Amino acid sequence: PDSRCVATTGVAGYGAALCCAGGGPMWSVRAVRFGVGGFGVALVRSGMRPPYKSLGKAEATVACYLANGVVVAGGRERPFGPVLTPGDVVGVMLRPARGGSRDGAGDDLVFLLNGAEIGVAVTGLQRASRGAYTVGVQPYMGGVAQLLSA
């Protein structure tokens, strides 16, 4: 492993990791190995405070794409994209919202899988300064992820 690897350890193994401070507006993470309980990649607010237990339930999480193909945003789960498999690369991207007014419609949060856009998970996010968001990964107990770009 190098400084870009993320793994969770411990008794419960439910921890998540914030992969970098700021960065963006595009991040990519390789799902190296799933742990017991799954795998998730999320966009979170950089000010997220420990404990990083469940990205899908954390208040600071904007949206989390889970290994079962579900996205969790605003406390709600919904079918979203393909089921993840080890080796997949999940992209997280912020881009200007499409079809917005001239005053700015904010940003869309888009997830990609192996370079192909899956869809928009959240639309109209308030534009924030660079570094306001970061990517979080939850490989669960025994899982491993690799940060490819930030």
Side-chain angles (χ1 to χ4, degrees):
D2 63 22
S3 62
R4 292 185 175 263
C5 284
V6 178
T8 55
T9 58
V11 177
Y14 293 118
L18 303 188
C19 292
C20 60
M26 173 72 185
W27 301 264
S28 60
V29 174
R30 182 182 317 277
V32 176
R33 181 177 67 228
F34 291 178
V36 175
F39 191 89
V41 178
L43 182 72
V44 300
R45 290 170 188 81
S46 293
M48 185 177 184
R49 302 253 185 244
Y52 308 124
K53 286 190 176 181
S54 177
L55 290 178
K57 296 177 183 176
E59 188 175 311
T61 297
V62 177
C64 184
Y65 182 33
L66 301 174
N68 63 0
V70 166
V71 72
V72 181
R76 296 184 180 190
E77 288 187 18
R78 64 181 162 89
F80 186 72
V83 171
L84 300 178
T85 59
D88 281 342
V89 175
V90 178
V92 180
M93 178 173 62
L94 287 172
R95 69 170 181 218
R98 294 181 178 167
S101 69
R102 281 186 249 180
D103 296 333
D107 288 329
D108 286 342
L109 166 56
V110 178
F111 283 101
L112 300 96
L113 181 59
N114 299 319
E117 185 175 319
I118 299 168
V120 177
V122 177
T123 189
L125 285 173
Q126 181 179 357
R127 289 223 171 103
S129 64
R130 185 172 174 86
Y133 298 105
T134 192
V135 67
V137 178
Q138 189 160 12
Y140 291 88
M141 188 168 56
V144 177
Q146 182 181 19
L147 180 65
L148 301 175
S149 64

